[in-house]
């Protein structure tokens, strides 16, 4: 009798979450196939990325089962697609290089999702009867925005660390044609010097050999990429913070925002 009830509850859960479950299975099978291909190619760095992706896929279900937080289907689907787009398509399939705005799209989405998660953390406390305070919509939107930007900054710290210590080039370089810097002041002072019309970079190696890169400009090492990532993260954070503000203002009646805001599972309180 207990076994049949358990089966019925499992079937009911599958019917309720059929779209996230179907997507999870499709993406997981796809990652396993890529993993096997990378094993045959003896590309063990990509094998590690595939294993990491499989682990990351487990995070939504872990949160729901262990922390008793209910993730909306829309949010769970976007999280799964985000992980797949970043690790498998971005890194292994080189979409970061093939499509110039792939990284920008993911950082914008990251800003949006991080704001949703930050907002939900405050919203859960705000709705909890054990706490006597009630936060204003403006304050909750501000917390969501700050949380999202903090996550974005920490990620850029991580990328910079990987580039410095492991030479991964996670902070993609940019070709520029103008440099404005006090380092170009002939007098060695604090006056701004400019170099315009830069068409190439020549590296002088330790053995005295000159290596012309032929890039068509100066190679900016990661700075502009980092600033662009933080800017689009800012845009995503602002967009959801505004959505969250009106969601609280209407006392949780907004159907669109509800698709992205995790809630405490009422059946497990």
């Amino acid at each position: 009798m207990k076994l049949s009830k358990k089966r019925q509850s499992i079937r009911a859960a599958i019917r309720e979450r059929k779209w996230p479950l179907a997507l999870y299975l499709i993406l997981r099978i796809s990652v396993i196939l890529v993993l096997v291909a990378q094993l045959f190619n003896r590309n063990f760095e990509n094998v590690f990325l595939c294993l990491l992706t499989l682990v990351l896929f487990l995070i939504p279900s872990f949160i729901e089962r262990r922390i008793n937080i209910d993730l909306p289907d829309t949010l769970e689907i976007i999280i799964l697609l985000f992980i797949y787009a970043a690790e498998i398509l971005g890194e292994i399939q080189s979409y970061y290089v093939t499509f110039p705005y792939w990284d920008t799209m993911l950082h914008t989405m990251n800003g949006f999702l991080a704001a949703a998660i930050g907002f939900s953390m405050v919203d859960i406390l705000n709705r909890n009867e054990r706490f006597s305070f009630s936060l204003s919509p403006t304050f909750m939107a501000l917390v969501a925005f700050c949380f999202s930007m903090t996550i974005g900054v920490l990620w850029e710290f991580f990328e910079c660390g990987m580039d410095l210590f492991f030479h991964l080039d996670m902070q993609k370089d940019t070709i520029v044609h103008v440099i404005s810097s006090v380092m170009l002041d002939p007098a060695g002072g604090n006056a701004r010097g400019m170099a315009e019309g830069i068409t190439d970079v020549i590296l002088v190696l330790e053995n005295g050999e000159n290596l012309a890169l032929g890039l068509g400009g100066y190679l900016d090492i990661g700075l502009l990429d980092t600033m662009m990532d933080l800017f689009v993260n800012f845009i995503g954070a602002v967009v959801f913070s505004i959505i969250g503000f009106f969601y609280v203002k209407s006392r949780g009646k907004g159907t669109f925002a509800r698709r992205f805001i995790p809630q405490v599972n009422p059946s497990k309180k």
Side-chain angles (χ1 to χ4, degrees):
M1 186 69 176
K2 289 183 179 179
L3 184 60
S4 73
K5 286 184 177 180
K6 187 175 182 179
R7 287 178 178 175
Q8 290 176 359
S9 63
I10 293 174
R11 289 174 181 173
I14 292 175
R15 284 195 299 268
E16 290 177 3
R17 311 300 299 273
K18 60 181 180 179
W19 292 116
L21 180 60
L23 179 65
Y24 171 79
L25 292 176
I26 292 172
L27 294 181
R28 193 172 183 85
I29 292 171
S30 174
V31 173
I32 292 174
L33 293 176
V34 173
L35 187 151
V36 173
Q38 297 304 315
L39 275 174
F40 278 111
N41 294 333
R42 303 183 65 84
N43 193 331
F44 298 112
E45 181 178 342
N46 287 346
V47 170
F48 170 76
L49 288 176
C50 290
L51 293 175
L52 176 62
T53 302
L54 294 175
V55 173
L56 292 176
F57 279 167
L58 298 175
I59 292 179
S61 61
F62 174 83
I63 292 175
E64 290 188 321
R65 293 179 182 179
R66 298 297 181 183
I67 311 181
N68 297 335
I69 298 295
D70 182 39
L71 299 180
D73 288 355
T74 303
L75 178 62
E76 188 170 349
I77 288 173
I78 292 177
I79 290 174
L80 294 175
L81 290 174
F82 180 86
I83 295 170
Y84 188 84
E87 300 297 334
I88 304 301
L89 298 180
E91 294 291 347
I92 297 178
Q93 300 298 327
S94 301
Y95 275 32
Y96 289 130
V97 179
T98 306
F99 301 100
Y101 295 103
W102 190 260
D103 186 55
T104 300
M105 176 195 70
L106 291 180
H107 276 281
T108 306
M109 189 181 299
N110 177 75
F112 186 90
L113 294 178
I117 294 171
F119 184 90
S120 68
M121 292 169 60
V122 183
D123 187 50
I124 289 172
L125 291 176
N126 208 31
R127 291 171 178 264
N128 197 315
E129 296 177 355
R130 291 180 297 177
F131 296 92
S132 59
F133 59 83
S134 179
L135 303 177
S136 69
T138 302
F139 182 82
M140 293 179 66
L142 181 62
V143 170
F145 171 78
C146 292
F147 179 83
S148 177
M149 292 304 300
T150 300
I151 296 298
V153 170
L154 291 176
W155 178 255
E156 293 303 321
F157 286 168
F158 173 76
E159 286 190 348
C160 182
M162 292 297 102
D163 291 352
L164 286 175
F165 299 111
F166 299 100
H167 309 292
L168 295 183
D169 192 27
M170 296 185 70
Q171 295 176 301
K172 297 298 185 289
D173 304 331
T174 307
I175 303 299
V176 297
H177 303 283
V178 177
I179 299 176
S180 175
S181 172
V182 296
M183 298 294 291
L184 299 177
D185 180 10
N190 197 37
R192 178 175 57 89
M194 290 190 67
E196 301 179 85
I198 302 173
T199 58
D200 200 0
V201 175
I202 299 176
L203 302 181
V204 181
L205 306 181
E206 290 183 351
N207 59 7
E209 179 185 355
N210 292 340
L211 178 61
L213 300 182
L215 299 174
Y218 171 72
L219 188 65
D220 172 79
I221 306 178
L223 175 61
L224 295 179
D225 177 74
T226 298
M227 291 300 102
M228 176 59 72
D229 290 347
L230 290 176
F231 178 69
V232 295
N233 191 104
F234 167 83
I235 293 175
V238 168
V239 169
F240 188 86
S241 297
I242 294 174
I243 293 173
F245 171 84
F246 288 105
Y247 173 77
V248 178
K249 198 76 173 176
S250 62
R251 299 187 181 276
K253 295 180 181 179
T255 57
F256 179 79
R258 198 176 301 166
R259 296 175 181 270
F260 302 95
I261 301 176
Q263 304 285 344
V264 175
N265 194 329
S267 63
K268 297 182 180 181
K269 284 185 178 180

